[in-house]
Each structure stands twice: as structure tokens, then as C-alpha cells.
Amino acid sequence: MSTAQRREGRNPLPPLRETRGGQSLLCAVLGGGDIHGNLRQRNQISIIGVHSEKFCSKIMEAGNRGFSKMAVIGCLMVVVAMAMAAIVSADSSQPLIVKTVKGKKMCDRGWECKGLSIYCCNMTISEYFQTYQFEDLFSKRNTPVAHAVGFWDYHSFITAAALYQPHGFGTSGGKLTQMKEVAAFLGHVGSKTTCGYGVATGGPLAWGLCYNKEMSPSQDYCDDYYKYTYPCTPGAQYYGRGALPIYWNYNYGTTGEALKVDLLSHPEYIEQNATLAFQAAIWRWMTPVKKGQPSAHDAFVGNWKPTKNDTLAKRFPGFGTTMNVLYGDNVCGQGDVDSMNNIVSHYQYYLDLMGVGREEAGPHEVLTCAEQVPFNPSAPKSSSSN
């Protein structure tokens, strides 16, 4: 794959079979290929593509047996008409509404980017990141030895993401920035839910989303310091659950308040509903831990402008600072430790699989938090862990 293709986030086109009369080109398009790299249209005609592969082969056989050219062309025109109807139908399922509000262009893209937003004028996540790519990133999650077989899927991710796309999740900047943010977020997710190891089949980075909960909790993670604000529910256990695992009663409490779900009473909801698990993780990604600090999203896409103190603390916009926001000194400020390098490796691996290329991840000081001073140093007593 060329550097230009990776930068644009496009996959190289499949070779077309050579046949008579240019039939191979038409059949490749109808069969799901896309000579213009338009991933959205490729998905939209995929239903027709399932059947058109055989149909096209029959047409080519007919041409080879000397059937009337007019008959063959007539059959081809019918299939083209069906494909075009499917495209029009699929495009109309998410009508684009454009309005100007206070001098700014605002858009509504239907279910995936609902409500007038500047971000909805950009590509939506499903237009550049689709089911087959999700399957590539998490290729081992449903193997028999995984611990959350059948739980995680693309539909749950895209449904959860739809709530945050109007706020810029995966819709900020151009296509390259958008793809990088999805890779960055999922890089964190993959590293925190992996059961991969050095000699695992497919390599250690192919095993993201292997877990949806902590398997052998060492405690119930109930902190009585928060007994008046986030009191522990009798019998509830607040061990790690989710795509970006949530620990401790107060974290379940704040997440539940934001999502309008009673996670303090029912923390188990996170391990029972993949869409909710992704939703909680994206909320964490989009939300600052403290006022005056960036969210992981803002730190990544460049919305956050570092202060002089941030610069002195070696905190710069980029992937490294997302680790600082999410994990603090559990990962950052300790040099090139394994816990940090594992997260970075997942991000780079996903960039490669998505066709962006790891060279787009940036230099070491942007990619890592090895030398960064944590935003929120750990208190002397044990708090949440990630």
C-alpha cells in the first residue's frame, strides 16, 4: 500500500478479472468492489452483491457461448438498475439536513449524527470504519478461549458512538484525523480488554475485546469515603467492567449519572449490555476528569491548547496525553514501561489495519507519555486502577 493511500485511509482496490467487453469491471462493482474507493456505496449494494457475483458469471458464460450481445446487455442493464435503486434507497435512509445557525454551517445526518452540529457536516464513522474493519481489529475476540464470546460487536460500537458523533467523536477534522481518533480510542479499548500474550495465535495484539469484566476480583472496590455521595449498594461489587474498565463505586456513580442509568445499584449492567459498555467508555473518552483539564478526545484532536505549565510538564496534544488523562501515573511519567508500550502498540497496530499507517502516529514525545508529569498524581491511599 502506498503512503498516499494510507494517508487518505483508503484500501487498495482489488484486481479485476479480465473478461470480454469490460464485463469484469461492471461485475466487480456489482459484486461489492468500488472502483472509486467509496466504502459507503460498497456497503449499500452489498445485498445485491451477494447474488450478482453468480449472476455476472452466468452473463459472461452466456457471452462466451455466443448468446446475443443485446440479450447480455439487457440482463446487465437490469442488474445496474437494481444496484442504483439500492444506492438511492440507502442514501435516502439518512437524509442530510443543512442549516446556517449564527453564521455556522450545521448538519443533521439522521440516526448516526442526530441534531444540528458542525461535526455532523463531516463524514460519519460508518462511512470510513465498517464491520469488516472492526472484525480485522478484534479478530480473536470470539475464539473459544476468549472470555466474552458473542458479547462485543460492531453494531454495539456504532450505536454507542452515534450518541457522541454530534459532539465530535470520530467526526472532528478531516478523514485522517477522524480515522486516527477511532484507532486511538479502540487502541485503549483493545489494550485494556486483551487476553493476548507473546506467543498467542495471531500475535498478542489480535486479542482485544477478549474480556468484558475482571475475571478474579481481588476486592469489591467499595470506598466508604464516598458513602454519602455514592454509597455502595449491599451485595454489589464494583470490580472492573466494560470497554475501558470501570472500577470503584464512585466511578460507577458518576458514569451512571452521566448516562442516566443506575449503575451504582446495578454495576452488572455494564457486563450485560455491550452498547452500554461502549457508551460508558466513549463518555469517559469525551469527558475531562477535572475542570480545567482536557478530555482524552480534546487532547487527541487538538481542541486542547497546552498552557506554559503543560509544556514544562511535557504534555502535548496527541496520543500520549490521552494516556495521561485516562490513567495518570499508573502509566505515565515512568519512562518506556510495558504498561504504556502495550497501549501504544495497540494504537499503532490498529492504524496499520485501518489503512492509515503507524507513521501517522507522530513522534515519540507525542505518541507516548513516558516523560509527562501526570495531571492528577495518585493520592497516598489506593484509588481507582485501570
Side-chain angles (χ1 to χ4, degrees), residues 26-96:
L26 178 59
C27 289
V29 174
L30 293 175
D34 187 341
I35 60 172
H36 299 296
N38 189 323
L39 298 176
R40 185 180 184 187
Q41 288 189 1
R42 182 174 63 191
N43 271 5
Q44 288 165 348
I45 63 176
S46 61
I47 296 175
I48 292 178
V50 170
H51 303 287
S52 64
E53 182 81 16
K54 293 182 179 179
F55 185 70
C56 285
S57 65
K58 293 296 184 183
I59 291 175
M60 288 185 282
E61 288 175 11
N64 292 334
R65 290 197 303 267
F67 276 56
S68 166
K69 278 190 175 181
M70 291 303 297
V72 172
I73 291 172
C75 291
L76 291 173
M77 290 178 66
V78 171
V79 180
V80 170
M82 291 170 61
M84 294 304 297
I87 292 172
V88 171
S89 175
D91 279 343
S92 62
S93 65
Q94 289 197 65
L96 173 63

Coordinates of all heavy atoms in Angstrom, one line a residue, residues 26-96:
L26 N -17.9 -4.1 -14.6 CA -19.2 -4.0 -14.1 C -19.5 -5.0 -13.0 O -20.1 -4.7 -11.9 CB -20.2 -4.1 -15.2 CG -21.7 -4.1 -14.9 CD1 -22.0 -2.7 -14.2 CD2 -22.5 -4.2 -16.1
C27 N -19.1 -6.2 -13.2 CA -19.4 -7.3 -12.2 C -18.6 -7.1 -10.9 O -19.1 -7.4 -9.9 CB -19.0 -8.7 -12.8 SG -20.2 -9.2 -14.1
A28 N -17.4 -6.5 -11.0 CA -16.7 -6.3 -9.8 C -17.4 -5.2 -8.9 O -17.5 -5.3 -7.7 CB -15.3 -5.8 -10.1
V29 N -18.0 -4.2 -9.6 CA -18.7 -3.2 -8.9 C -20.0 -3.7 -8.3 O -20.3 -3.5 -7.1 CB -19.0 -2.0 -9.8 CG1 -19.9 -1.0 -9.1 CG2 -17.7 -1.3 -10.3
L30 N -20.7 -4.5 -9.1 CA -21.9 -5.1 -8.5 C -21.7 -6.1 -7.5 O -22.5 -6.3 -6.6 CB -22.7 -5.7 -9.7 CG -23.3 -4.7 -10.7 CD1 -24.0 -5.5 -11.8 CD2 -24.3 -3.8 -10.1
G31 N -20.5 -6.7 -7.5 CA -20.2 -7.7 -6.5 C -19.7 -7.2 -5.2 O -19.3 -7.9 -4.3
G32 N -19.6 -5.9 -5.1 CA -19.2 -5.3 -3.8 C -17.9 -4.5 -3.9 O -17.6 -3.8 -3.0
G33 N -17.1 -4.6 -5.0 CA -16.0 -3.7 -5.2 C -16.4 -2.3 -5.5 O -17.5 -2.1 -5.9
D34 N -15.5 -1.4 -5.5 CA -15.8 0.0 -5.7 C -14.6 0.7 -6.4 O -13.6 0.9 -5.7 CB -16.2 0.7 -4.4 CG -16.7 2.1 -4.6 OD1 -16.5 2.7 -5.7 OD2 -17.3 2.6 -3.7
I35 N -14.7 1.0 -7.6 CA -13.6 1.5 -8.4 C -13.2 2.9 -7.9 O -12.2 3.4 -8.2 CB -13.8 1.5 -9.9 CG1 -15.1 2.3 -10.2 CG2 -14.0 0.1 -10.4 CD1 -15.2 2.5 -11.7
H36 N -14.1 3.6 -7.2 CA -13.8 4.9 -6.6 C -13.4 4.9 -5.2 O -13.3 5.9 -4.6 CB -14.9 5.8 -6.9 CG -15.3 6.0 -8.3 ND1 -14.4 6.6 -9.2 CD2 -16.4 5.6 -9.1 CE1 -14.9 6.6 -10.5 NE2 -16.1 6.0 -10.4
G37 N -13.3 3.7 -4.6 CA -13.0 3.7 -3.1 C -14.1 4.1 -2.2 O -13.9 4.5 -1.1
N38 N -15.4 4.2 -2.7 CA -16.5 4.7 -1.9 C -17.0 3.6 -1.1 O -17.8 2.7 -1.5 CB -17.6 5.2 -2.9 CG -18.7 5.9 -2.1 OD1 -19.0 5.5 -1.0 ND2 -19.2 7.0 -2.7
L39 N -16.6 3.5 0.2 CA -16.9 2.5 1.1 C -18.4 2.4 1.4 O -19.0 1.4 1.6 CB -16.1 2.6 2.4 CG -14.6 2.5 2.2 CD1 -13.9 2.8 3.5 CD2 -14.2 1.1 1.6
R40 N -19.0 3.6 1.5 CA -20.4 3.7 1.8 C -21.3 3.0 0.8 O -22.1 2.2 1.1 CB -20.8 5.1 2.0 CG -22.3 5.3 2.5 CD -22.6 6.7 2.6 NE -24.0 6.9 3.2 CZ -24.6 8.1 3.3 NH1 -23.9 9.2 2.9 NH2 -25.8 8.2 3.7
Q41 N -21.0 3.3 -0.5 CA -21.8 2.7 -1.6 C -21.5 1.2 -1.7 O -22.4 0.4 -2.0 CB -21.5 3.4 -2.9 CG -22.1 4.8 -3.0 CD -21.9 5.3 -4.4 OE1 -21.4 4.7 -5.3 NE2 -22.4 6.5 -4.6
R42 N -20.2 0.8 -1.3 CA -19.9 -0.6 -1.4 C -20.8 -1.4 -0.4 O -21.3 -2.4 -0.7 CB -18.5 -0.9 -1.1 CG -18.1 -2.3 -1.1 CD -16.6 -2.5 -1.0 NE -16.2 -2.1 0.3 CZ -14.9 -1.9 0.6 NH1 -14.0 -2.1 -0.2 NH2 -14.6 -1.5 1.9
N43 N -21.0 -0.8 0.8 CA -21.9 -1.4 1.8 C -23.3 -1.4 1.3 O -24.1 -2.4 1.5 CB -21.8 -0.7 3.1 CG -20.7 -1.3 4.0 OD1 -19.9 -2.2 3.5 ND2 -20.6 -0.8 5.2
Q44 N -23.7 -0.3 0.7 CA -25.1 -0.2 0.3 C -25.6 -1.2 -0.7 O -26.7 -1.5 -0.8 CB -25.4 1.3 -0.2 CG -25.3 2.3 0.9 CD -25.1 3.7 0.4 OE1 -24.9 3.9 -0.8 NE2 -25.3 4.7 1.3
I45 N -24.7 -1.6 -1.6 CA -25.1 -2.6 -2.6 C -24.6 -4.0 -2.3 O -24.6 -4.9 -3.1 CB -24.5 -2.2 -4.0 CG1 -23.0 -2.1 -4.0 CG2 -25.1 -0.8 -4.4 CD1 -22.4 -1.8 -5.4
S46 N -24.2 -4.2 -1.1 CA -23.6 -5.5 -0.7 C -24.7 -6.6 -0.8 O -24.4 -7.7 -1.1 CB -23.1 -5.4 0.7 OG -24.0 -5.1 1.7
I47 N -26.0 -6.2 -0.5 CA -27.0 -7.3 -0.6 C -27.1 -7.8 -2.0 O -27.2 -9.0 -2.3 CB -28.3 -6.7 -0.1 CG1 -28.2 -6.3 1.4 CG2 -29.5 -7.7 -0.3 CD1 -29.5 -5.7 1.9
I48 N -27.2 -6.8 -3.0 CA -27.2 -7.2 -4.4 C -25.9 -8.0 -4.7 O -25.9 -8.9 -5.5 CB -27.4 -6.0 -5.3 CG1 -28.8 -5.4 -5.1 CG2 -27.2 -6.4 -6.8 CD1 -29.0 -4.1 -5.9
G49 N -24.8 -7.5 -4.2 CA -23.5 -8.1 -4.5 C -23.4 -9.6 -4.2 O -22.8 -10.3 -4.9
V50 N -24.2 -10.0 -3.2 CA -24.1 -11.4 -2.8 C -24.6 -12.3 -3.9 O -24.1 -13.4 -4.2 CB -25.0 -11.7 -1.5 CG1 -25.2 -13.1 -1.3 CG2 -24.4 -11.0 -0.3
H51 N -25.6 -11.8 -4.6 CA -26.2 -12.6 -5.7 C -25.6 -12.3 -7.1 O -25.6 -13.1 -8.0 CB -27.7 -12.4 -5.7 CG -28.4 -12.7 -4.4 ND1 -28.6 -14.0 -4.0 CD2 -28.9 -11.9 -3.5 CE1 -29.2 -14.0 -2.8 NE2 -29.4 -12.7 -2.5
S52 N -25.1 -11.0 -7.2 CA -24.7 -10.6 -8.6 C -23.4 -11.3 -9.0 O -23.2 -11.3 -10.2 CB -24.5 -9.1 -8.6 OG -23.5 -8.7 -7.7
E53 N -22.6 -11.8 -8.1 CA -21.4 -12.5 -8.4 C -21.7 -13.7 -9.3 O -21.2 -13.9 -10.4 CB -20.7 -12.9 -7.2 CG -19.3 -13.6 -7.4 CD -18.2 -12.6 -7.7 OE1 -18.4 -11.5 -7.4 OE2 -17.2 -13.1 -8.2
K54 N -22.7 -14.5 -8.9 CA -23.1 -15.6 -9.7 C -23.8 -15.2 -11.0 O -23.7 -15.8 -12.0 CB -24.0 -16.5 -8.9 CG -23.3 -17.2 -7.7 CD -24.3 -18.1 -6.9 CE -23.6 -18.8 -5.8 NZ -24.5 -19.7 -5.0
F55 N -24.6 -14.1 -10.8 CA -25.4 -13.6 -12.0 C -24.5 -13.2 -13.1 O -24.6 -13.5 -14.2 CB -26.3 -12.5 -11.5 CG -27.3 -12.0 -12.6 CD1 -28.3 -12.8 -13.1 CD2 -27.1 -10.8 -13.2 CE1 -29.2 -12.4 -14.0 CE2 -27.9 -10.3 -14.2 CZ -29.0 -11.1 -14.6
C56 N -23.4 -12.4 -12.7 CA -22.5 -11.9 -13.6 C -21.7 -13.1 -14.3 O -21.4 -13.0 -15.5 CB -21.5 -11.0 -12.9 SG -22.2 -9.4 -12.6
S57 N -21.4 -14.1 -13.5 CA -20.6 -15.2 -14.1 C -21.5 -15.9 -15.2 O -21.0 -16.3 -16.2 CB -20.2 -16.2 -13.0 OG -21.3 -16.8 -12.4
K58 N -22.8 -16.0 -14.9 CA -23.7 -16.6 -15.9 C -23.7 -15.7 -17.2 O -23.8 -16.2 -18.3 CB -25.1 -16.7 -15.3 CG -25.2 -17.7 -14.1 CD -24.9 -19.1 -14.6 CE -25.1 -20.1 -13.4 NZ -24.7 -21.5 -13.8
I59 N -23.8 -14.4 -17.0 CA -23.8 -13.5 -18.1 C -22.5 -13.7 -19.0 O -22.6 -13.8 -20.2 CB -23.9 -12.0 -17.7 CG1 -25.3 -11.8 -17.1 CG2 -23.7 -11.1 -18.8 CD1 -25.5 -10.4 -16.5
M60 N -21.4 -13.8 -18.3 CA -20.1 -13.9 -19.0 C -20.1 -15.3 -19.7 O -19.6 -15.4 -20.8 CB -18.9 -13.8 -18.1 CG -18.8 -12.3 -17.6 SD -17.3 -12.0 -16.6 CE -17.9 -12.7 -15.0
E61 N -20.6 -16.3 -19.1 CA -20.7 -17.6 -19.7 C -21.6 -17.5 -21.0 O -21.2 -18.1 -22.0 CB -21.2 -18.7 -18.8 CG -20.3 -19.0 -17.7 CD -20.9 -20.0 -16.7 OE1 -22.0 -20.5 -17.0 OE2 -20.3 -20.2 -15.6
A62 N -22.7 -16.8 -20.9 CA -23.6 -16.7 -22.0 C -22.9 -16.0 -23.1 O -23.0 -16.4 -24.3 CB -24.8 -15.9 -21.6
G63 N -22.1 -14.9 -22.8 CA -21.4 -14.2 -23.8 C -20.4 -15.1 -24.5 O -20.2 -15.1 -25.7
N64 N -19.7 -15.9 -23.7 CA -18.7 -16.8 -24.2 C -19.3 -17.9 -25.1 O -18.7 -18.5 -26.0 CB -17.9 -17.5 -23.1 CG -17.0 -16.5 -22.4 OD1 -16.6 -15.5 -23.0 ND2 -16.7 -16.8 -21.1
R65 N -20.6 -18.3 -24.9 CA -21.3 -19.3 -25.7 C -21.9 -18.7 -26.9 O -22.6 -19.4 -27.7 CB -22.3 -20.0 -24.8 CG -21.8 -20.9 -23.7 CD -22.8 -21.9 -23.2 NE -24.0 -21.2 -22.7 CZ -24.2 -20.9 -21.5 NH1 -23.2 -21.1 -20.6 NH2 -25.3 -20.3 -21.1
G66 N -21.8 -17.4 -27.1 CA -22.3 -16.8 -28.4 C -23.7 -16.3 -28.3 O -24.3 -16.1 -29.3
F67 N -24.2 -16.1 -27.1 CA -25.5 -15.6 -27.0 C -25.6 -14.2 -27.5 O -24.5 -13.5 -27.6 CB -26.0 -15.6 -25.5 CG -26.5 -16.9 -25.0 CD1 -25.8 -18.0 -25.1 CD2 -27.8 -17.0 -24.5 CE1 -26.3 -19.2 -24.7 CE2 -28.3 -18.2 -24.1 CZ -27.6 -19.3 -24.2
S68 N -26.7 -13.7 -27.9 CA -26.9 -12.4 -28.4 C -26.3 -11.3 -27.5 O -26.6 -11.3 -26.3 CB -28.4 -12.1 -28.7 OG -28.6 -10.7 -28.9
K69 N -25.5 -10.4 -28.1 CA -25.0 -9.3 -27.3 C -26.1 -8.5 -26.7 O -26.0 -8.0 -25.6 CB -24.1 -8.4 -28.2 CG -22.7 -8.9 -28.4 CD -21.9 -7.9 -29.1 CE -20.4 -8.3 -29.2 NZ -19.6 -7.3 -29.8
M70 N -27.2 -8.3 -27.5 CA -28.3 -7.5 -27.0 C -28.9 -8.1 -25.7 O -29.3 -7.4 -24.8 CB -29.3 -7.3 -28.1 CG -28.9 -6.4 -29.2 SD -28.3 -4.8 -28.7 CE -29.9 -4.1 -28.0
A71 N -29.0 -9.4 -25.7 CA -29.6 -10.1 -24.6 C -28.7 -10.0 -23.3 O -29.2 -9.7 -22.2 CB -29.8 -11.6 -24.9
V72 N -27.4 -10.1 -23.5 CA -26.5 -10.0 -22.4 C -26.5 -8.6 -21.9 O -26.6 -8.3 -20.7 CB -25.0 -10.3 -22.9 CG1 -24.0 -10.0 -21.8 CG2 -24.9 -11.8 -23.2
I73 N -26.5 -7.6 -22.8 CA -26.6 -6.2 -22.4 C -27.9 -5.9 -21.6 O -27.9 -5.2 -20.6 CB -26.4 -5.2 -23.6 CG1 -25.0 -5.3 -24.1 CG2 -26.7 -3.8 -23.2 CD1 -24.8 -4.6 -25.5
G74 N -29.0 -6.5 -22.1 CA -30.2 -6.3 -21.4 C -30.2 -6.8 -20.0 O -30.7 -6.1 -19.1
C75 N -29.6 -8.0 -19.8 CA -29.5 -8.5 -18.4 C -28.7 -7.6 -17.6 O -29.0 -7.4 -16.4 CB -28.9 -9.9 -18.5 SG -30.0 -11.1 -19.2
L76 N -27.6 -7.1 -18.1 CA -26.7 -6.2 -17.4 C -27.4 -5.0 -16.9 O -27.2 -4.5 -15.8 CB -25.4 -5.9 -18.2 CG -24.4 -7.0 -18.4 CD1 -23.3 -6.6 -19.4 CD2 -23.8 -7.5 -17.1
M77 N -28.2 -4.4 -17.8 CA -28.9 -3.2 -17.5 C -29.9 -3.4 -16.4 O -30.1 -2.5 -15.5 CB -29.7 -2.7 -18.8 CG -28.7 -2.1 -19.8 SD -29.6 -1.6 -21.3 CE -30.5 -0.2 -20.7
V78 N -30.5 -4.6 -16.3 CA -31.4 -4.9 -15.2 C -30.7 -4.9 -13.9 O -31.2 -4.3 -12.9 CB -32.1 -6.2 -15.4 CG1 -32.9 -6.7 -14.2 CG2 -33.1 -6.2 -16.6
V79 N -29.5 -5.5 -13.8 CA -28.8 -5.5 -12.6 C -28.3 -4.2 -12.2 O -28.3 -3.8 -11.0 CB -27.5 -6.5 -12.7 CG1 -26.8 -6.5 -11.5 CG2 -28.0 -7.9 -13.1
V80 N -27.8 -3.4 -13.2 CA -27.4 -2.0 -12.9 C -28.5 -1.2 -12.3 O -28.4 -0.4 -11.3 CB -26.9 -1.3 -14.2 CG1 -26.7 0.2 -13.9 CG2 -25.6 -2.0 -14.6
A81 N -29.7 -1.3 -12.9 CA -30.9 -0.6 -12.3 C -31.2 -1.0 -10.9 O -31.5 -0.2 -10.1 CB -32.1 -0.9 -13.2
M82 N -31.1 -2.3 -10.6 CA -31.3 -2.8 -9.2 C -30.3 -2.1 -8.3 O -30.6 -1.7 -7.2 CB -31.2 -4.3 -9.2 CG -32.3 -5.0 -9.9 SD -32.0 -6.8 -10.0 CE -31.9 -7.2 -8.3
A83 N -29.0 -2.1 -8.7 CA -27.9 -1.6 -7.9 C -28.2 -0.1 -7.6 O -28.0 0.4 -6.5 CB -26.6 -1.8 -8.5
M84 N -28.5 0.7 -8.7 CA -28.7 2.1 -8.5 C -29.9 2.4 -7.6 O -29.9 3.3 -6.8 CB -29.0 2.8 -9.9 CG -27.8 2.7 -10.8 SD -26.3 3.5 -10.0 CE -26.9 5.2 -9.8
A85 N -31.0 1.6 -7.7 CA -32.1 1.7 -6.8 C -31.7 1.5 -5.3 O -32.2 2.2 -4.4 CB -33.2 0.7 -7.2
A86 N -30.8 0.5 -5.1 CA -30.4 0.2 -3.8 C -29.6 1.4 -3.2 O -29.7 1.7 -2.0 CB -29.5 -1.1 -3.7
I87 N -28.7 2.0 -4.1 CA -27.9 3.1 -3.6 C -28.8 4.3 -3.2 O -28.6 4.9 -2.2 CB -26.9 3.5 -4.7 CG1 -25.9 2.4 -4.9 CG2 -26.2 4.8 -4.4 CD1 -25.0 2.6 -6.1
V88 N -29.8 4.6 -4.1 CA -30.7 5.7 -3.8 C -31.4 5.5 -2.5 O -31.6 6.4 -1.7 CB -31.6 6.0 -5.0 CG1 -32.7 7.0 -4.6 CG2 -30.9 6.4 -6.2
S89 N -31.9 4.2 -2.4 CA -32.7 3.9 -1.2 C -31.8 4.0 0.1 O -32.3 4.6 1.1 CB -33.2 2.5 -1.3 OG -33.8 2.1 -0.1
A90 N -30.6 3.5 0.0 CA -29.7 3.6 1.2 C -29.3 5.0 1.5 O -29.3 5.4 2.7 CB -28.5 2.8 0.9
D91 N -29.1 5.8 0.5 CA -28.7 7.2 0.7 C -29.8 8.0 1.3 O -29.6 8.9 2.2 CB -28.3 7.9 -0.6 CG -26.9 7.6 -1.0 OD1 -26.1 7.1 -0.2 OD2 -26.5 7.8 -2.2
S92 N -31.1 7.7 1.0 CA -32.2 8.4 1.5 C -32.6 8.0 2.9 O -33.3 8.6 3.6 CB -33.4 8.2 0.6 OG -33.8 6.8 0.6
S93 N -31.9 6.9 3.4 CA -32.2 6.5 4.8 C -31.7 7.4 5.8 O -32.1 7.4 6.9 CB -31.7 5.0 5.0 OG -30.3 5.0 4.9
Q94 N -30.6 8.2 5.4 CA -30.0 9.1 6.3 C -30.0 10.5 5.6 O -28.9 10.9 5.1 CB -28.6 8.7 6.8 CG -28.6 7.6 7.8 CD -27.3 7.4 8.5 OE1 -26.9 8.3 9.3 NE2 -26.6 6.3 8.3
P95 N -31.1 11.2 5.5 CA -31.1 12.4 4.8 C -30.2 13.5 5.5 O -30.2 13.6 6.7 CB -32.6 12.8 4.8 CG -33.1 12.2 6.0 CD -32.4 10.9 6.1
L96 N -29.5 14.2 4.7 CA -28.6 15.3 5.2 C -29.4 16.6 5.3 O -30.0 17.1 4.3 CB -27.4 15.5 4.3 CG -26.5 16.7 4.6 CD1 -25.9 16.5 6.0 CD2 -25.4 16.8 3.5

